[in-house]
């Protein structure tokens, strides 16, 4: 999956609702950045916020790939038909199912996983990965071509810590940012795993991205949604992927179905 460039005056599609607060915060981030022109110069965005998407971690556990793939294809097609040039799927765990999506639709998706890998390629130090159990189980980041180039600097929480991170994600889905809970937990886990930075590998952590960035700095807080919001609002290209080519759909489908 190549990371596309959003040209000037293009329409950005956002497939959200997984959860809805994260996709709403992405739009806030997109429009709250620095602007050097009038309101009319800001990008047009089509948001499809669909909280009825099945729980992605449970879909992976239960092997419900067909249901997720069909729903993704339907929503992506609708956004493109309504005028979107590129689409951001605001859920890392949902990226597990993208290799099964029709290539004509998949090729219009800006990959959060590729964006994360590209950001890590330009960073230094050890980074703690914060993701759902579904993302970890499916090895979504590890399956990204070229991830090996940055994997040695990414630390996964131990089993107990991963369960706490997953629980925190679901509490933020329900209650919102919870910085009083999220920030101390992240700080504790970073010290425990000897990390100097953090990877927001679940879009729910975008809800506290500003707090984490203020505490650790932008170079130590890898947030794909923040990166894309800044670049799209400035009319810049998305970060280039570590590997620009994707294996054929048949190969990827076989890999996904074997999980």
């Amino acid at each position: 999956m190549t990371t596309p460039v959003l040209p000037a005056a293009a329409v950005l599609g956002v497939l959200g609702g997984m959860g809805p607060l994260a996709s709403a915060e992405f739009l806030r981030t997109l429009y709250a950045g620095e602007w050097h022109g009038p309101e009319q110069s800001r990008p047009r965005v089509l948001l499809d916020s669909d909280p009825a998407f099945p729980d992605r971690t449970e879909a992976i556990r239960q092997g419900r790939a067909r249901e997720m793939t069909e729903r993704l294809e339907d929503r992506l097609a609708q956004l493109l038909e309504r005028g979107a040039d590129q689409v951001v799927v605001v859920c890392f765990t949902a990226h597990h199912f993208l290799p099964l999506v029709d290539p004509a639709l998949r090729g219009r998706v800006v990959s959060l996983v590729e964006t994360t890998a590209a950001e890590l390629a330009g960073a230094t130090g050890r980074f703690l990965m914060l993701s759902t159990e579904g993302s970890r189980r499916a090895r979504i980041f590890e399956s990204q071509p070229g991830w090996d180039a940055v994997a040695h600097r990414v630390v996964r929480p131990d089993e107990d810590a991963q369960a706490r991170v997953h629980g925190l994600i679901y509490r933020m889905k329900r209650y919102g940012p919870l910085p009083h809970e999220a920030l101390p937990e992240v700080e504790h886990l970073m010290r425990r795993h000897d990390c100097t930075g953090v990877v927001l590998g679940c879009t729910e952590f975008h809800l506290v991205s500003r707090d984490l960035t203020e505490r650790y700095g932008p170079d130590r807080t890898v947030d794909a949604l923040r990166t894309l919001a800044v670049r799209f609002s400035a009319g810049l290209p998305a970060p280039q992927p570590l590997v620009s080519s994707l294996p054929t759909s048949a190969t990827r489908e076989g890999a996904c179905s074997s999980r």
Side-chain angles (χ1 to χ4, degrees):
M1 185 186 303
T2 57
T3 303
V5 173
L6 194 71
V11 179
L12 176 63
V14 177
L15 181 54
M18 303 174 274
L21 294 176
S23 47
E25 181 66 13
F26 174 56
L27 261 66
R28 192 212 65 79
T29 303
L30 178 66
Y31 285 127
E34 286 191 26
W35 293 93
H36 303 288
E39 174 182 307
Q40 290 74 18
S41 67
R42 302 186 183 191
R44 180 184 172 201
V45 178
L46 298 177
L47 169 63
D48 182 349
S49 182
D50 181 10
F53 262 93
D55 182 288
R56 278 65 65 198
T57 292
E58 290 305 311
I60 291 171
R61 285 172 172 165
Q62 298 169 10
R64 296 160 61 190
R66 181 182 297 275
E67 178 183 359
M68 279 295 302
T69 302
E70 290 177 351
R71 199 175 190 96
L72 282 169
E73 288 183 335
D74 177 63
R75 293 297 184 269
L76 289 172
Q78 288 187 32
L79 281 168
L80 295 173
E81 288 169 3
R82 291 170 182 168
D85 294 290
Q86 308 291 349
V87 180
V88 175
V89 178
V90 187
C91 177
F92 277 99
T93 314
H95 280 57
H96 171 69
F97 304 98
L98 286 177
L100 302 175
V101 167
D102 182 334
L105 301 173
R106 186 178 70 222
R108 306 282 286 277
V109 173
V110 183
S111 170
L112 298 183
V113 180
E114 284 187 357
T115 301
T116 299
E119 288 294 285
L120 282 168
T124 58
R126 284 163 56 89
F127 287 78
L128 177 71
M129 172 63 74
L130 301 174
S131 69
T132 64
E133 291 180 359
S135 288
R136 183 167 184 166
R137 177 188 293 259
R139 297 179 60 80
I140 290 171
F141 290 93
E142 291 83 353
S143 299
Q144 167 66 33
W147 184 258
D148 287 348
V150 298
H152 64 287
R153 292 190 288 105
V154 179
V155 180
R156 288 284 190 179
D158 56 39
E159 186 175 349
D160 174 66
Q162 176 61 57
R164 294 209 309 274
V165 169
H166 189 81
L168 174 59
I169 287 169
Y170 277 72
R171 286 192 295 280
M172 288 194 291
K173 284 180 179 290
R174 182 171 183 179
Y175 300 113
L178 301 179
H180 62 285
E181 183 178 350
L183 298 184
E185 181 69 21
V186 171
E187 177 72 22
H188 168 71
L189 292 178
M190 287 177 65
R191 290 198 306 268
R192 178 171 168 177
H193 293 86
D194 191 26
C195 292
T196 57
V198 62
V199 177
L200 308 192
C202 172
T203 53
E204 229 60 46
F205 276 103
H206 186 62
L207 296 172
V208 292
S209 178
R210 282 179 292 168
D211 299 289
L212 291 169
T213 301
E214 183 176 325
R215 177 171 293 191
Y216 302 114
D219 294 336
R220 294 284 183 251
T221 309
V222 176
D223 178 5
L225 289 181
R226 184 194 65 209
T227 297
L228 293 177
V230 169
R231 288 178 173 269
F232 288 156
S233 63
L236 297 172
Q240 292 302 303
L242 299 180
V243 175
S244 59
S245 61
L246 182 75
T248 64
S249 58
T251 300
R252 294 298 297 271
E253 287 175 15
C256 286
S257 62
S258 66
R259 289 188 179 116

